[in-house]
Amino acid sequence: MKPSSFSTALGIALLVAPALVTAAEPPNPKIDQSGFVALVQETATIRQESRVSEERFLAMAAEPGTIILDARSKDKYENIHIKGAVHLAFTDFTEEALAKVIPAKTTRILIYCNNNFVGEQANFPSKMVKVALNSQTFVNLHAYGYTNVFELGPLLNIRTTKIPFEGKSVNK
């Protein structure tokens, strides 16, 4: 028996309808995907110009008033981090939490992430390139109004870099 046009259309509608319902984003006034995309585009040029070399990172870190921010997980930070870095996990970024760690929006902030280092996979596990923590951290700091953010640019070997480290896993 050949299906009628109506039953074929009904079958297609029943298959497609759930996809249409789930594809529509439920309204939530606390989530703004298009605003996030705009923010990423807005900060792209600033971020590219704010990436610094190992030497520049070290020079900037030595200047008074500069904060090195480690946004990795607390356990990774406690095991090993750039000497003098302060910690605030990316997942804990809020206006209030950031203000406790970085009170002035004009403070020079240096950031780094897992994808800046090789040679210590346990404590600097590589993230997928498209979602490296530096990118997210930079965009979020700008969204919260921090205007003086610099990012360690290169990929460095933890055993040969001039950048000093401290923490539980560091050979002292």
Side-chain angles (χ1 to χ4, degrees), residues 10-151:
L10 179 61
I12 291 171
L14 290 173
L15 288 173
V16 172
L20 293 175
V21 171
T22 57
E25 190 174 321
N28 184 333
K30 291 189 170 207
I31 298 172
D32 180 2
Q33 178 66 25
S34 60
F36 176 74
V37 170
L39 184 62
V40 169
Q41 292 171 341
E42 197 178 293
T43 59
T45 302
I46 299 166
R47 180 176 171 261
Q48 194 57 39
E49 294 170 356
S50 299
R51 299 181 79 221
V52 298
S53 67
E54 175 184 23
E55 293 77 21
R56 183 78 179 119
F57 187 92
L58 283 164
M60 294 169 89
E63 294 175 13
T66 299
I67 291 178
I68 303 170
L69 178 64
D70 188 321
R72 297 175 304 139
S73 65
K74 186 175 182 176
D75 65 316
K76 301 289 190 250
Y77 170 82
E78 288 176 347
N79 285 336
I80 187 169
H81 57 270
I82 292 178
K83 189 172 186 173
V86 297
H87 179 256
L88 180 62
F90 179 76
T91 55
D92 293 334
F93 277 24
T94 63
E95 189 85 40
E96 298 77 25
L98 283 162
K100 286 179 185 173
V101 177
I102 313 163
K105 304 272 183 162
T106 56
T107 299
R108 181 188 298 155
I109 305 165
L110 303 178
I111 62 171
Y112 66 96
C113 78
N114 292 340
N115 288 23
N116 284 120
F117 300 104
V118 295
E120 180 62 46
Q121 185 64 18
N123 292 305
F124 289 103
S126 294
K127 303 293 184 194
M128 182 184 286
V129 176
K130 291 180 184 179
V131 292
L133 187 57
N134 275 357
S135 301
Q136 298 169 49
T137 302
F138 191 92
V139 169
N140 273 259
L141 288 170
H142 274 272
Y144 280 106
Y146 293 92
T147 58
N148 200 8
V149 182
F150 293 86
E151 173 187 339

